Amino acid sequence: MTRMNIREIPQTISLAAKLGADEVVIRNLDYLPEERWNILRTFHHEPPTPAFQGNIDETHRLGKKMGILVTNYPLKAEEVPVCEPNPPRNVFFSVDGSVAPCMYLRLPKEGDIPRTFLNGRYTVPQTSFGNINEEDFGEVWNKEAYKNFRKIFEDRSQASVDMMQILDAVSQGNLLAAEKETPSPPPLSPLCRTCYKAYGI
């Protein structure tokens, strides 16, 4: 979805039906290296644009009418416990054999990775925990630095589960659960704080 094509998104349903597709997945422009990309995004971290949501709602309406499942990524950026690349369970191998938590931390370019986030400009270092052309993957996966990186997400995921269990218990009248301290997830890694995948986009 971009500001230039979001009005046309509902039209994808009739095209999908004509092609015999079962599902339409509508993704965000989730990596914004420069301001010229930032101005194209449709998602927001400020008040939403009603017209954009209207186009998504119309796409879902048409999908339901034509029997096509519509999946769309959110139009509001909100921090999530674990991002879609899911570093605790997945790994990214670069073309040169580098092992990284995700593609957003190992781009095919030289030097630091530029990002636009909350209308600010940031850079993060290219991140690799080893190289499978030089090391056994098991050794790379078990490096302390890599384990520490993954643990942040594991702890964030557990805190989210704990919170849901407490809320569920409270809703069922368990007052002891209400007295429990609300679990606080650890903050995102500095490498991830300016990545929109960490905000559900």
Side-chain angles (χ1 to χ4, degrees):
M1 296 180 284
T2 71
R3 288 175 181 266
M4 295 179 69
N5 71 11
I6 194 161
R7 289 182 182 176
E8 301 168 2
I9 296 293
Q11 298 171 27
T12 62
I13 300 303
S14 57
L15 176 60
K18 191 180 296 183
L19 294 172
D22 301 317
E23 181 180 8
V24 170
V25 180
I26 310 167
R27 298 184 63 93
N28 281 304
L29 191 61
D30 55 23
Y31 172 58
L32 312 172
E34 302 170 353
E35 179 57 27
R36 62 182 173 148
W37 296 100
N38 187 39
I39 61 176
L40 288 175
R41 66 178 167 80
T42 53
F43 65 86
H44 59 89
H45 28 69
E46 61 275 333
T49 305
F52 293 172
Q53 186 61 55
N55 283 294
I56 296 301
D57 293 344
E58 176 65 4
T59 304
H60 279 275
R61 187 189 70 77
L62 291 171
K64 188 173 182 181
K65 180 180 177 182
M66 297 187 185
I68 293 174
L69 177 64
V70 176
T71 301
N72 69 279
Y73 282 63
L75 290 177
K76 180 168 176 54
E78 294 184 293
E79 190 175 315
V80 294
V82 180
C83 59
E84 184 183 24
N86 197 359
R89 297 183 62 86
N90 298 319
V91 64
F92 176 73
F93 297 101
S94 183
V95 67
D96 65 355
S98 298
V99 179
C102 71
M103 69 174 96
Y104 299 92
L105 288 173
R106 192 67 177 166
L107 297 184
K109 67 177 290 300
E110 290 185 10
D112 290 344
I113 299 169
R115 289 177 180 166
T116 300
F117 178 75
L118 290 175
N119 298 316
R121 299 279 293 135
Y122 301 87
T123 58
V124 294
Q126 296 273 2
T127 301
S128 169
F129 292 102
N131 190 301
I132 56 168
N133 292 325
E134 302 162 3
E135 305 166 84
D136 178 78
F137 173 66
E139 293 175 5
V140 176
W141 182 258
N142 288 304
K143 285 183 178 179
E144 204 61 31
Y146 199 178
K147 288 197 290 187
N148 290 340
F149 181 88
R150 297 195 306 269
K151 190 174 187 312
I152 292 171
F153 290 99
E154 291 162 359
D155 290 348
R156 288 172 61 83
S157 181
Q158 187 58 53
S160 177
V161 170
D162 293 346
M163 170 65 84
M164 293 305 295
Q165 289 174 343
I166 290 172
L167 291 175
D168 185 51
V170 170
S171 71
Q172 295 179 29
N174 184 343
L175 298 180
L176 288 176
E179 295 173 4
K180 275 190 178 180
E181 186 177 341
T182 303
S184 180
L188 291 162
S189 161
L191 294 169
C192 303
R193 287 174 197 160
T194 57
C195 176
Y196 275 118
K197 297 310 286 184
Y199 300 84
I201 298 301

